[in-house]
């Protein structure tokens, strides 16, 4: 087969996600809800496979890492200690013409003016004033904005009767990692871990993003896969480099092409951080952007929680009796962004000889939502259907399989190509004689004849 690969755009990927049941717009029958998406039947399989790979790499294959699943709701003081109540905000300005709000830091960045995260509202206002005439409202095109105001990203909720009394607002998690800090002491007290050790968790987070955009890239409900590695103070440099390398290798293990990944160091560090890097992926249409943050956070998180809770969070070395607050090295990956990177990397349109095209998701076998598609050659031959059913049932005990007896074989192959199924198995009249099947390989479209027993290995 001679093929040529065509360029793809993010719109192509969004369209395939919808058409083939990977991702649907949230609350679609009500006209949709900005920044929310639902994973469909194939999407949830792919998402779960990514999570499984991440969990194996970060918990099961690492002797000194353990897993956690903490409650989403937390004591309201957690978000004060973490700094989210006071400082988790985006600077916004409202268009006087249409009331659309823009992210001032992003708009300034787009015209080459760097807005520092640490800038006060007054400083941002004066910087914005200098460049007002260069910034247009992305909704109506006017250049008439009000003052810049900090807009808190935490999503408030009500739990118990706290909010009724107006005393203790509860928040949905702004980031998933706080549960790890809250349970650090429990884990040290109840398991065999000793510093240095890591805790891993996949958890939901909610952010009142003012302009959710770019499909799964910036959503209001998201999932983060986090690891927090607890080390002795000042013993952070070497493990930090090892963690960066380990994360890089994990992306490669998913089959993501190395040329589509890069590291980017943060220019402006928050005051407590000693180093911070992002892993970026080269998204179609959007270009390189962050999928994961790797942060060297010193003792900030545990010190804050010790201060706000009044509980001693010092670690006592069991051998030397040395007492200290561990420093933390964090990795935080957005599941949705990773899903989008995996889809983007796998999405391929091939121009075949004769002008035809084939869309194929070249997903790593471990990530593919369906491993085997089983086809009886003809659906009106009961003996073929019966034999194919048997093959399907046997394979289903071990692998995720799909049954398809609809339409001609070529069309069935194309459908499986679009959802990334690595193997299609055809049961024909020879199968009835010798228990062999035709197996067709997704990426090469090559077919071979093999024994049914060999499929199960
Ligand atoms: P950004 O600068 O893009 O807003 P961030 O630096 O605030 O991201 P972190 O708080 O470090 O992100 O969160 C860790 C990871 O969580 C990010 O690398 C990203 O993959 C993911 N993430 C953060 N915000 C969102 C969002 N609104 N939608 C989807 N994923 C997100």
């Amino acid at each position: 087969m001679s093929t040529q690969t065509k360029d793809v755009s993010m719109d192509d990927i969004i369209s395939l996600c919808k058409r083939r049941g990977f991702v649907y717009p949230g609350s679609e029958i009500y006209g949709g809800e900005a920044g929310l998406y639902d994973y469909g039947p194939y999407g949830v399989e792919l998402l779960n496979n990514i999570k499984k790979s991440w969990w194996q790499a970060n918990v099961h294959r690492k002797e000194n890492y353990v897993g956690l699943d903490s409650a989403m709701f937390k004591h309201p003081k957690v978000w004060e200690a973490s700094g989210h109540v006071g400082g988790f905000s985006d600077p916004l300005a409202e268009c006087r013409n249409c009331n659309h709000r823009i992210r001032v830091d992003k708009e300034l960045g787009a015209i080459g003016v760097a807005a520092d995260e640490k800038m006060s509202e007054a400083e941002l206002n004066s910087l914005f004033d200098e460049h007002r005439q260069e910034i247009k409202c992305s909704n109506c095109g006017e250049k008439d904005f009000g003052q810049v105001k900090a807009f808190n990203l935490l999503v408030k909720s009500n739990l118990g009767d706290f909010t009724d009394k107006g005393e203790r607002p509860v928040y949905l998690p702004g980031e998933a990692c706080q549960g790890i800090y809250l349970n650090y002491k429990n884990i040290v007290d109840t398991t065999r871990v000793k510093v240095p050790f890591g805790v891993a968790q996949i958890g939901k987070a909610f952010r009142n993003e003012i302009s959710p955009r770019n499909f799964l890239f910036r959503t209001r409900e998201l999932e983060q896969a986090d690891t927090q590695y607890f080390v002795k103070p000042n013993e952070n440099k070497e493990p930090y480099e090892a963690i960066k390398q380990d994360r890089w290798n994990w992306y490669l293990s998913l089959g993501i092409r190395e040329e589509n990944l890069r590291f980017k160091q943060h220019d402006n560090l928050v005051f407590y951080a000693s180093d911070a890097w992002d892993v970026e992926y080269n998204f179609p249409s959007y270009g390189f952007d962050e999928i994961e943050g790797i942060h060297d956070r010193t003792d900030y998180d545990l010190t804050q929680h010790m201060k706000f809770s009044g509980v001693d969070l010092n670690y006592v070395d069991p051998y030397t009796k040395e007492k200290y607050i561990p420093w933390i090295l964090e990795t935080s990956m957005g599941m949705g962004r990773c899903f989008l990177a995996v889809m983007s990397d796998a999405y391929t349109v091939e121009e075949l000889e004769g002008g035809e095209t084939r869309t194929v998701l070249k997903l790593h076998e471990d990530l593919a939502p369906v491993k085997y598609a089983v086809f009886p050659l003809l659906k009106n031959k009961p003996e073929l259907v019966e034999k194919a059913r048997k093959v399907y049932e046997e394979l289903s005990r071990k692998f995720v399989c799909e049954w398809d007896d609809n339409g001609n074989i070529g069309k069935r192959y194309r459908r499986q190509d679009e959802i990334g199924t690595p193997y299609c198995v055809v049961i024909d009249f020879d199968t009835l004689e010798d228990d062999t099947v035709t197996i067709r390989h997704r990426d090469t479209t090559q077919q071979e004849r093999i024994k049914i027993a060999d499929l199960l290995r």
Side-chain angles (χ1 to χ4, degrees), residues 379-434:
K379 76 169 170 190
N380 57 1
K381 297 282 174 214
E383 63 277 36
L384 282 186
V385 173
E386 193 189 334
K387 183 74 184 169
R389 277 273 165 218
K390 279 201 184 122
V391 174
Y392 172 79
E393 275 158 28
E394 260 187 84
L395 282 175
S396 294
R397 281 194 213 125
K398 229 173 146 183
F399 308 101
V400 180
C401 298
E402 194 162 275
W403 172 266
D404 192 357
D405 57 10
N406 214 354
N408 71 43
I409 292 283
K411 280 208 179 115
R412 291 186 241 173
Y413 285 150
R414 289 288 186 274
R415 216 180 81 77
Q416 296 300 327
D417 285 345
E418 287 207 353
I419 62 166
T421 306
Y423 307 109
C424 294
V425 173
V426 182
I427 284 78
D428 56 21
F429 291 104
D430 287 344
T431 316
L432 303 177
E433 305 296 319
D434 60 7

Side-chain angles (χ1 to χ4, degrees), residues 88 103 106 117 174-175 207 209 216-224 226 266 278-279 289-293 295 330 332-338:
F88 189 46
R103 274 277 297 269
K106 299 274 176 209
E117 265 182 35
E175 58 184 15
R207 297 183 178 185
E209 297 281 359
L216 300 173
F217 186 83
R218 190 168 301 285
T219 51
R220 288 184 171 141
E221 175 176 336
L222 54 131
E223 209 163 19
Q224 292 175 316
D226 289 340
H266 286 209
D278 291 337
V279 180
D289 216 331
E290 171 179 350
I291 48 177
E292 168 161 354
H295 310 129
E330 167 184 77
S332 183
M333 178 188 81
M335 266 298 159
R337 290 190 192 178
C338 181

Side-chain angles (χ1 to χ4, degrees), residues 291-323:
I291 48 177
E292 168 161 354
I294 304 177
H295 310 129
D296 187 343
R297 299 175 62 89
T298 68
D299 63 358
Y300 177 75
D301 307 285
L302 292 182
T303 307
Q304 283 292 99
H305 284 302
M306 187 152 124
K307 200 160 94 191
F308 278 73
S309 68
V311 173
D312 184 1
L313 295 179
N314 272 289
Y315 176 79
V316 182
D317 186 295
Y319 305 113
T320 63
K321 306 296 172 217
E322 215 180 329
K323 200 174 154 182

Side-chain angles (χ1 to χ4, degrees), residues 154-191:
L154 277 182
V155 178
K156 252 188 214 172
S157 184
N158 63 334
L159 186 71
D161 62 354
F162 299 153
T163 45
D164 294 348
K165 290 181 190 160
E167 288 163 5
R168 294 213 305 170
V170 283
Y171 299 99
L172 287 165
E175 58 184 15
C177 59
Q178 292 298 326
I180 300 183
Y181 310 141
L182 302 184
N183 284 288
Y184 140 84
K185 195 171 152 41
N186 278 335
I187 290 170
V188 168
D189 290 347
T190 58
T191 73

